[in-house]
Amino acid sequence: MLHNLKDIQHTASLVTKVFIQRDYSEGTVCRFQTKFPTELNNKIERALLEQTVKTLNLYYMEAEKVGGQSYLEGCLACATAYIVFFCMETRYEKVLKKISGYIQEQNEKIYAPRGLLLTDPIERGMRVLEISIFEDQGSSGSSPSSGMSSCSTAR
Amino acid sequence: MSAVMITRKVRKWEKLPGKNTFCCDGRVMMARQKGIFYLTLFLIIGTCSLFFAFECPYLAVHLSPAIPVFAVVLFLFVMAMLLRTSFSDPGVLPRALPEEANFIEMEIEAANGNVPSGQRPPPRIRNVQINNQIVKLKYCYTCKIFRPPRASHCSICDNCVDRFDHHCPWVGNCVGKRNYRYFYLFTLTLSLLTIYIFAFDIVHVVMRSVDQGFLNTLKETPGTVLEVLVCFFTLWSMVGLTGFHTYLISLNQTTNEDIKGSWSGKNRGQNPYSHKNIIKNCCEVLCGPTYPSVLDRRGLMQEDSPTLVTSEGPCSFDNPVAQTTKTTAPLIPNEHTPEDVKPSIAASAEKSPSPKEDHSPAPKLPPLASPETDVETSIVKNH
């Protein structure tokens, strides 16, 4: 039986955590490395994780883009002595909400069924993308789970 | 005597390590020493009050009412920028949680290989290439992270700050990625305000002296002397500081990098963060995106603390002390480790850290809260 997001927190126990580090090759913009961690070799397909990380990188690039919209936002805010920020959500905050929704969706669809859980980087200071690896405890409540990797490939 | 488990919700700022002070339930974040900040406030508000009291009535009548109006606008802008700089999170990087710290330690160990005992392990540095320039990322032993490029650890606030510029005692806070533009605008507008007040003080004295004579003028508006003195000394320092930061912004450098000479001298022209274009650099620093705080000061967290309750009644609580995050990362001896600690570290390093955690974390033993602490308490009897 594959996990869903709620099951994972009640029946599974945490084995270890893997941390995907920041990629600073393009400067200080927020980007994560697409290098595949070896600990996840049998847990998830490379392409899926790479796709997740690439999408996140695109979101962050959109948030940090220095262009017409950010200039407008900056100048308008400056003209109002930045008081407008008390009433208005900045572009970055809007994108962060989108990212949070995306991570939730990815967890529900892809990662939880494989016994993994992504943590939003903002909760780790935007330093790492934390992936928690869970294993079924085999408690009486849940149905017996066959090997997670075989289940995921059978899908 | 019975043991009870107190589960309470606290705001995350109450448990943040580092030497910051928080006000307004976590909305305001400053350094511990605020004395010089209060002096700054006093000087600005005091001088402007004298200006509005003594000079403005005369100038509004004899020259133009726009003069005090513009002064008010400038004053409000200066205060807004000062308070924004002082009260906001400069870009503090949260410390690594134990699992992350462990993970990094294991990576370092793997990279270093076998270090013969008695020899120092190599310094913890990661090299990254940014725009064809090798940048060294240093490891922070306090925060247990490899600092991102341009980040630095502020010893006064005991935090790593992203794009660390400097710690400014005049604003009572660090200046970093998130509040650098407010700091720059503060210095710029304060310079303008100082020049404005100084100029109109002179105009006022001259105009009034023509009518009444110099000494009478000073008798009628004694505040003028004080204002002129304060403005004269402030002017040179503020204009100089604004000029210096304008120079830094045009090169996309921080004060920290300038002092260390990271991109000057033999490294001149190699700043990998600069766009090599003054306009682009200015736009990025002043009109770039507004970064959110990653600290989540006002988030709620559960805290379990076991406590013994005597039959006479609730026990007295200790004063709440901001709890430093205790990490369980195994320490690897390095040049900073005191000599007497090394043998015990070596002994504990042999025990491999167990990665398997309980589903509910083991209860920590933080200092007990006092009844004045604004938290919800629900007492759960221990079975």
Side-chain angles (χ1 to χ4, degrees):
Chain A
M1 177 68 173
L2 298 175
H3 297 288
N4 62 32
L5 203 52
K6 289 196 186 81
D7 274 352
I8 233 180
Q9 269 134 18
H10 295 293
T11 64
S13 71
L14 182 67
V15 174
T16 187
K17 291 187 185 182
V18 180
F19 298 91
I20 295 185
Q21 306 285 336
R22 281 274 292 271
D23 172 13
Y24 293 116
S25 58
E26 314 232 333
T28 47
V29 291
C30 187
R31 260 182 87 82
F32 289 96
Q33 293 178 357
T34 44
K35 192 179 73 165
F36 191 80
T38 48
E39 292 91 337
L40 297 177
N41 262 334
N42 296 323
K43 306 274 182 196
I44 187 166
E45 293 85 339
R46 247 167 225 261
L48 282 174
L49 182 64
E50 220 174 273
Q51 179 61 30
T52 307
V53 177
K54 279 193 177 149
T55 312
L56 284 176
N57 286 343
L58 281 174
Y59 272 124
Y60 286 120
M61 208 157 67
E62 181 197 329
E64 299 195 11
K65 201 171 70 164
V66 183
Q69 203 185 345
S70 79
Y71 292 159
L72 208 62
E73 198 182 61
C75 291
L76 170 73
C78 182
T80 61
Y82 295 97
I83 293 176
V84 76
F85 282 157
F86 290 121
C87 335
M88 183 183 96
E89 209 179 42
T90 67
R91 191 156 133 248
Y92 210 115
E93 284 164 353
K94 287 189 191 134
V95 176
L96 284 179
K97 282 209 171 127
K98 278 202 245 174
I99 290 174
S100 177
Y102 174 73
I103 289 185
Q104 171 93 353
E105 178 212 327
Q106 291 280 292
N107 272 334
E108 278 168 15
K109 288 198 193 146
I110 300 180
Y111 292 87
R114 291 167 171 77
L116 300 171
L117 198 67
L118 288 179
T119 305
D120 196 335
I122 193 114
E123 293 177 34
R124 297 289 178 262
M126 306 274 263
R127 276 196 317 271
V128 286
L129 177 62
E130 183 183 292
I131 305 179
S132 312
I133 304 177
F134 290 90
E135 234 172 46
D136 200 21
Q137 276 174 335
S139 55
S140 51
S142 63
S143 5
S145 73
S146 35
M148 281 186 284
S149 48
S150 55
C151 274
S152 60
T153 47
R155 259 200 176 250
Chain B
M1 284 261 263
S2 57
V4 296
M5 194 76 120
I6 298 184
T7 307
R8 57 204 174 113
K9 280 192 211 151
V10 298
R11 296 267 186 204
K12 286 186 185 170
W13 65 263
E14 297 178 60
K15 297 293 162 205
L16 279 177
K19 296 184 192 158
N20 290 102
T21 46
F22 297 90
C23 310
C24 299
D25 200 19
R27 289 181 180 90
V28 165
M29 177 173 174
M30 291 182 75
R32 263 194 203 160
Q33 299 100 330
K34 299 189 275 285
I36 304 186
F37 167 68
Y38 293 137
L39 176 67
T40 309
L41 273 179
F42 174 73
L43 284 173
I44 297 176
I45 295 177
T47 312
C48 290
S49 310
L50 290 175
F51 182 71
F52 293 134
F54 290 112
E55 273 78 14
C56 283
Y58 184 88
L59 290 169
V61 167
H62 288 84
L63 266 185
S64 161
I67 294 172
V69 167
F70 190 70
V72 170
V73 168
L74 210 47
F75 167 72
L76 290 175
F77 201 88
V78 167
M79 289 308 296
M81 291 302 103
L82 171 63
L83 295 180
R84 247 222 135 89
T85 311
S86 303
F87 291 169
S88 54
D89 171 8
V92 171
L93 296 168
R95 299 190 185 184
L97 294 175
E99 297 98 3
E100 191 188 334
N102 276 342
F103 186 82
I104 296 178
E105 291 277 355
M106 290 199 281
E107 271 191 344
I108 296 173
E109 259 182 274
N112 284 347
N114 273 327
V115 180
S117 62
Q119 247 189 44
R120 274 186 190 179
R124 298 181 173 192
I125 292 190
R126 253 184 208 166
N127 288 323
V128 291
Q129 190 173 50
I130 302 177
N131 282 338
N132 297 324
Q133 177 79 13
I134 301 285
V135 174
K136 292 186 191 299
L137 303 185
K138 286 192 188 162
Y139 182 77
C140 180
Y141 287 95
T142 313
C143 304
K144 301 210 184 326
I145 56 169
F146 276 98
R147 286 185 209 125
R150 314 192 93 176
S152 192
H153 191 93
C154 175
S155 47
I156 301 174
C157 302
D158 204 21
N159 288 317
C160 271
V161 178
D162 209 350
R163 202 188 185 277
F164 180 72
D165 195 84
H166 67 286
H167 180 98
C168 184
W170 297 95
V171 304
N173 203 357
C174 285
V175 178
K177 182 165 82 170
R178 293 192 71 242
N179 64 356
Y180 183 64
R181 77 190 65 184
Y182 310 131
F183 175 75
Y184 178 73
L185 288 172
F186 167 65
T187 59
L188 181 65
T189 47
L190 187 58
S191 308
L192 291 175
L193 183 65
T194 313
I195 294 173
Y196 190 85
I197 293 183
F198 188 72
F200 279 107
D201 274 354
I202 305 292
V203 164
H204 165 260
V205 167
V206 164
M207 280 179 71
R208 226 168 179 163
S209 304
V210 164
D211 290 336
Q212 302 166 339
F214 184 67
L215 284 173
N216 280 334
T217 305
L218 291 185
K219 266 193 230 167
E220 271 190 49
T221 54
T224 310
V225 180
L226 216 59
E227 288 167 52
V228 168
L229 265 175
V230 172
C231 286
F232 184 75
F233 290 111
T234 312
L235 209 134
W236 299 114
S237 41
M238 289 317 297
V239 170
L241 193 63
T242 308
F244 174 63
H245 279 282
T246 310
Y247 162 76
L248 287 181
I249 288 177
S250 64
L251 293 178
N252 202 333
Q253 266 191 40
T254 63
T255 307
N256 192 257
E257 286 164 354
D258 186 72
I259 288 178
K260 286 186 186 164
S262 311
W263 314 116
S264 56
K266 62 178 170 75
N267 289 329
R268 190 180 284 281
Q270 287 175 9
N271 182 359
Y273 314 109
S274 167
H275 298 279
K276 314 282 185 227
N277 177 330
I278 291 180
I279 309 277
K280 270 195 177 171
N281 283 338
C282 292
C283 285
E284 189 198 293
V285 177
L286 298 174
C287 298
T290 37
Y291 298 93
S293 170
V294 296
L295 273 189
D296 190 21
R297 310 188 286 280
R298 289 177 44 77
L300 291 166
M301 56 187 271
Q302 297 276 58
E303 192 191 30
D304 300 316
S305 51
T307 181
L308 290 175
V309 180
T310 60
S311 48
E312 293 95 55
C315 55
S316 62
F317 293 104
D318 293 336
N319 284 331
V321 172
Q323 183 200 9
T324 32
T325 304
K326 290 176 179 55
T327 175
T328 53
L331 290 177
I332 299 189
N334 52 61
E335 62 265 30
H336 298 276
T337 318
E339 286 305 311
D340 52 339
V341 181
K342 276 188 181 146
S344 57
I345 292 176
S348 62
E350 279 158 20
K351 288 188 287 178
S352 58
S354 160
K356 205 164 179 120
E357 278 177 16
D358 241 346
H359 187 59
S360 55
K364 300 179 281 188
L365 292 170
L368 299 175
S370 69
E372 303 98 74
T373 312
D374 179 26
V375 291
E376 293 171 25
T377 12
S378 58
I379 300 186
V380 175
K381 265 270 198 271
N382 206 358
H383 54 274

